[in-house]
Amino acid sequence: RHRHPTVEMLDLSFLPFCAFLGGLGFVCVAFVSAWCQHWRGGFAWDGSVKMFNWHPVLMVTGMVVLYGTASLVYRLPPAWRGPKFPWKVLHGVLALAAFVLAVLGLVAVFRFHNDHGTPNMYSLHSWVGLVTVLLFSCQWVAGFSSFLLPWAPAWLRALYKPIHVFFGSTILMLSVASCVSGINEKLFFSLKNGTMEYKLLPAEAVFANTLGLLILLFGVLVLGALARPSWKRPDADFPDSRQVPAPLWGQAR
């Protein structure tokens, strides 16, 4: 079907977009690492404030960058044809890696709080963050059971797929919200005395605020890519998108 020239012009190629998004994700990880190294004292795994610094790095890397990458696996053109099972495995492995980093990030912050007598789960940031990780764990287990194990019937996969997609985007939004609120909370606690007041916007505040904007941009671009119809994998009813062998794995979800 003929499309309007404006639509053709706006139909950006996925691969250049993917390269840009990959670079942006790398910048997000580099920024949060530089913030914790340069202004917050570096890293350790000893219960000190340096152990806390692993928390933002692991959460941004896992729950935002790796998770966003996992969600876009099925948008890659090579995933549009042939067996879908290898791409399911890649999607699941990336999501599992993101979950492992998130758990390590939680361990870092809980141990830091416990060793310093700081209450746990006292802020909106901590509530949203924990809910996000719990939802993510449920999402991964349900996805693994429905789409990777051979006993899940086709009707169950078809029923669960839109739920899986919805919560996938929801978890990414919650991850971005958790990271941005966490950055803001850390700045409020750290920059509150003398010339280091947050309201005076010292260099650290400018740098960390920029990090928050980069994380927000990354999340918005991932959600935009997921919503773009021309980048979606063809429907599973097409013969070339079915799983093989069919008797074992059934059709692609």
Side-chain angles (χ1 to χ4, degrees):
R1 185 174 60 180
H2 178 70
R3 293 194 296 176
H4 192 276
T6 304
V7 176
E8 293 285 357
M9 181 176 64
L10 293 175
D11 191 17
L12 305 173
S13 173
F14 177 76
L15 292 181
F17 172 85
C18 192
F20 173 78
L21 195 63
L24 180 59
F26 175 82
V27 170
C28 288
V29 175
F31 261 59
V32 69
S33 301
W35 175 36
C36 293
Q37 178 66 45
H38 181 71
W39 280 286
R40 297 291 101 212
F43 303 94
W45 199 264
D46 56 4
S48 68
V49 67
K50 293 184 178 182
M51 183 171 182
F52 173 87
N53 290 337
W54 281 112
H55 176 67
V57 172
L58 292 172
M59 289 306 189
V60 170
T61 304
M63 293 300 296
V64 176
V65 177
L66 263 183
Y67 185 79
T69 302
S71 67
L72 292 177
V73 163
Y74 297 122
R75 300 303 189 269
L76 293 170
W80 289 16
R81 300 182 63 86
K84 195 176 182 181
F85 181 70
W87 300 100
K88 287 185 179 183
V89 172
L90 177 60
H91 175 74
V93 168
L94 288 174
L96 181 60
F99 179 72
V100 170
L101 293 183
V103 170
L104 291 175
L106 290 179
V107 170
V109 69
F110 277 107
R111 181 178 170 188
F112 168 75
H113 283 174
N114 293 337
D115 286 359
H116 290 78
T118 304
N120 292 306
M121 306 304 299
Y122 61 88
S123 67
L124 179 61
H125 161 68
S126 61
W127 294 359
V128 174
L130 187 60
V131 167
T132 303
V133 175
L134 291 176
L135 278 177
F136 186 18
S137 63
C138 295
Q139 169 89 339
W140 194 90
V141 170
F144 178 81
S145 302
S146 300
F147 302 127
L148 281 174
L149 296 181
W151 58 64
W155 66 265
L156 178 61
R157 293 198 301 270
L159 179 66
Y160 176 62
K161 180 181 177 182
I163 300 174
H164 186 77
V165 171
F166 170 78
F167 276 103
S169 297
T170 299
I171 291 168
L172 179 61
M173 288 190 295
L174 291 174
S175 298
V176 171
S178 299
C179 289
V180 171
S181 63
I183 292 168
N184 207 39
E185 183 178 288
K186 182 63 175 177
L187 290 175
F188 278 148
F189 287 155
S190 302
L191 306 180
K192 59 183 179 182
N193 297 312
T195 57
M196 292 301 290
E197 285 187 277
Y198 187 16
K199 65 182 181 181
L200 299 179
L201 276 185
E204 179 180 358
V206 175
F207 189 88
N209 285 352
T210 303
L211 167 63
L213 290 176
L214 291 172
I215 292 171
L216 183 61
L217 177 61
F218 183 90
V220 168
L221 290 178
V222 171
L223 292 175
L226 292 174
R228 194 176 186 86
S230 61
W231 289 351
K232 291 183 178 180
R233 191 180 196 270
D235 189 86
D237 291 334
F238 290 117
D240 62 354
S241 67
R242 292 176 180 173
Q243 295 280 4
V244 291
L248 177 61
W249 296 107
Q251 293 185 351
R253 65 177 172 90

